[in-house]
Amino acid sequence: MIYLGSDHAGFELKERIKEFLKRENYEFEDMGAYIYDENDDYPDYALKVCKKVLNNREKGILFCGTGQGMDIAANKVFGILAAVCWNEETARNANKLNVDIITLSGRLTEPRMAEKIIKIWLNPMDIDDRHIRRIKKVKDIEREFFNPKMI
Ligand code: RB5
């Protein structure tokens, strides 16, 4: 299952990618935005998708204008690993890093490129001990700075 979320700037690309996911028989759920609203805010949709991804140990794709806002918001959620992707190389890296979520730019990434990125990222993971070791260190940083008293 892949959970999708976008703000207004990622809305059109999300709608296009839904068609692609249908054609390719991927199971997905759209967590909004359900209509184009230029006043909506990407963190609201990032949070919805992250909660689903965490609860179900599934994958997610977030769309905003640049991909950066969604990436920043998703990586604030304890336990989530997200990566912004814009070409095949960054998609391959997201696959190696086994990220939970990729984020895409609705303003800078063409739908055909977004489709390529998704296919590469969802390929069976290219396991490499170096990447696993480094991600474990990233998770250690997350744990070191997690302080429930601050919330
Ligand atoms: C919204 O205009 C835009 O700022 C947002 O979608 C995103 O690109 C932020 O990084």
Side-chain angles (χ1 to χ4, degrees):
M1 173 66 86
I2 306 167
Y3 294 97
L4 307 179
S6 77
D7 68 353
H8 56 284
F11 183 77
E12 202 183 317
L13 184 59
K14 171 170 67 67
E15 295 306 302
R16 291 283 296 265
I17 290 303
K18 277 161 67 175
E19 294 307 315
F20 161 74
L21 295 175
K22 266 184 224 161
R23 282 199 308 276
E24 298 282 326
N25 292 317
Y26 287 110
E27 221 188 321
F28 66 89
E29 189 178 336
D30 186 356
M31 304 303 297
Y34 301 118
I35 52 158
Y36 179 89
D37 173 2
E38 65 177 6
N39 292 314
D40 66 10
D41 299 321
Y42 60 81
D44 299 333
Y45 301 103
L47 184 60
K48 277 184 163 190
V49 167
C50 286
K51 282 181 174 171
K52 283 283 188 183
V53 168
L54 277 181
N55 287 339
N56 305 312
R57 288 279 28 128
E58 300 280 0
K59 298 279 184 190
I61 308 175
L62 291 168
F63 307 80
C64 65
T66 58
Q68 290 182 334
M70 284 294 198
D71 188 50
I72 290 166
N75 277 307
K76 289 287 175 195
V77 177
F78 188 93
I80 289 286
L81 203 61
V84 59
C85 293
W86 61 90
N87 59 14
E88 287 102 323
E89 185 61 32
T90 53
R92 272 191 290 278
N93 201 57
N95 173 283
K96 284 183 196 158
L97 297 177
N98 196 21
V99 298
D100 307 295
I101 290 176
I102 58 165
T103 68
L104 298 171
S105 163
R107 293 196 180 124
L108 305 169
T109 302
E110 294 298 328
R112 289 288 299 143
M113 177 52 75
E115 293 175 6
K116 275 189 200 168
I117 289 169
I118 292 166
K119 277 195 162 178
I120 294 169
W121 168 56
L122 290 175
N123 259 340
M125 189 195 162
D126 184 8
I127 293 175
D128 180 328
D129 287 346
R130 286 172 310 153
H131 291 294
I132 292 169
R133 185 181 73 238
R134 287 164 193 162
I135 289 300
K136 200 186 150 297
K137 288 188 178 186
V138 172
K139 298 269 176 196
D140 288 345
I141 295 173
E142 186 178 49
R143 266 190 295 275
E144 187 176 337
F145 285 90
F146 178 67
N147 181 357
K149 286 188 213 129
M150 286 166 63
I151 299 174

